[in-house]
Amino acid sequence: AGASENIACELRLVDQAGAVRWFSLHARVDRSDEAVGLAGVLTNINTQKATEAALTRSNGERNAILTLSPDGFVLVDNDGKMVFVNPALLRMTHFTLAELLGQPIAGLEERFASLCDPAHPLPVFAELLDDQDNTMYLLRPEKRVLRWLMRNIPNDLGGLHGRVFFFRDVTQEIEVDRLKREFLSTAAHELRTPMASIFGFSELLLAREFDAATQRDLIQTIHRQTQNLINLVNELLDLARIEARGGKSFKMQ
């Protein structure tokens, strides 16, 4: 139409068998006063297009996984700027995407430092090693314990393409571990009390002779402490059943 001397476009063509094929057209219009011919190259780019489609699909799947993940992710480019922050990290910290995206990773370090417990200083991000496990204790916006690590992303030339930071909220796991330790300590103490009485009084009966009244009193104590021990064991088994069935054994009234 005379708008340009050169043509560069991609064509989606269908062959006689109905198969779709992609071609790249680079051509030049020969003209005097009007177009008199066209000279150029038509290149089959079907493989390239298939690769691009696969890459787009892969990036879409990756973004979907990172977006839906309950763990926090931050992707940093080779210039040290944040290029991706997933929603989970924003929920953990109450940061906004506008505050982080495109900013240097040092800015994220400063923000985390302002939220952390001073008794547990934050490691310097620049000094982190690949897959080095770290723990972060946040006081704000809520008390949280985060396990986090960093991994370098190499490029094809052996250099650095970027880095990814991973953050997992382990607050509940740590609290459950603490409760389990306390429970085991308490349970061991409660089990030891009747066991000590049973062992002590049975040892007395084996070692010495007592009159009938004293002997009966000792046996009653052993029986009573044995019943206490049975009750404790039954309660532990009840707890195990409740945990295994997820509370389905309850009848709420």
Side-chain angles (χ1 to χ4, degrees):
S4 173
E5 294 290 326
N6 298 302
I7 298 172
C9 62
E10 292 180 352
L11 306 175
R12 185 172 181 269
L13 307 179
V14 181
D15 65 15
Q16 291 180 344
V20 175
R21 299 184 184 278
W22 283 92
F23 290 87
S24 171
L25 174 63
H26 291 271
R28 180 177 179 82
V29 179
D30 293 330
R31 66 173 69 247
S32 51
D33 293 333
E34 58 185 30
V36 295
L38 185 72
V41 178
L42 193 66
T43 307
N44 187 328
I45 57 170
N46 221 43
T47 302
Q48 176 185 331
K49 279 293 183 180
T51 303
E52 289 176 359
L55 184 60
T56 301
R57 185 171 62 252
S58 175
N59 286 339
E61 292 169 352
R62 182 206 65 186
N63 289 337
I65 291 169
L66 294 180
T67 300
L68 295 174
S69 172
D71 301 319
F73 287 92
V74 177
L75 299 180
V76 180
D77 65 13
N78 194 30
D79 295 326
K81 293 184 178 180
M82 291 175 277
V83 294
F84 179 86
V85 180
N86 76 332
L89 183 79
L90 302 179
R91 288 194 297 269
M92 291 176 191
T93 59
H94 291 193
F95 297 152
T96 65
L97 199 59
E99 291 174 325
L100 302 180
L101 214 58
Q103 299 301 312
I105 189 63
L108 181 64
E109 183 178 349
E110 291 174 4
R111 287 181 173 276
F112 268 129
S114 68
L115 304 180
C116 278
D117 184 349
H120 301 278
L122 190 67
V124 179
F125 282 17
E127 298 176 357
L128 291 175
L129 302 175
D130 264 12
D131 295 336
Q132 178 182 338
D133 197 11
N134 299 280
T135 304
M136 185 186 304
Y137 298 85
L138 302 184
L139 294 179
R140 293 175 295 277
E142 298 98 15
K143 280 191 174 183
R144 293 180 186 268
V145 181
L146 304 183
R147 289 241 171 89
W148 63 288
L149 54 85
M150 181 276 300
R151 177 174 293 179
N152 290 316
I153 306 172
N155 60 23
D156 295 337
L157 302 176
L160 188 64
H161 177 71
R163 290 186 291 173
V164 58
F165 290 81
F166 165 80
F167 302 86
R168 168 166 289 173
D169 188 344
V170 294
T171 309
Q172 187 174 1
E173 295 173 26
I174 289 178
E175 180 63 13
V176 168
D177 286 342
R178 183 187 67 80
L179 291 173
K180 282 184 177 179
R181 287 195 300 271
E182 289 184 0
F183 174 77
L184 290 173
S185 176
T186 303
H189 176 74
E190 294 297 327
L191 290 169
R192 186 176 181 178
T193 301
M195 286 294 292
S197 296
I198 293 168
F199 181 80
F201 287 123
S202 59
E203 192 173 39
L204 280 174
L205 288 170
L206 289 171
R208 295 174 54 186
E209 294 291 336
F210 295 97
D211 57 70
T214 303
Q215 187 173 352
R216 180 176 177 79
D217 183 57
L218 293 175
I219 292 173
Q220 285 178 336
T221 301
I222 292 173
H223 182 268
R224 184 171 61 253
Q225 295 291 13
T226 303
Q227 187 60 54
N228 289 338
L229 193 60
I230 291 171
N231 291 340
L232 283 169
V233 172
N234 286 337
E235 288 175 358
L236 291 174
L237 292 173
D238 285 341
L239 283 174
R241 278 194 292 269
I242 290 169
E243 187 174 14
R245 291 178 55 81
K248 293 178 182 177
S249 301
F250 289 142
K251 293 182 181 178
M252 301 297 182
Q253 294 182 347

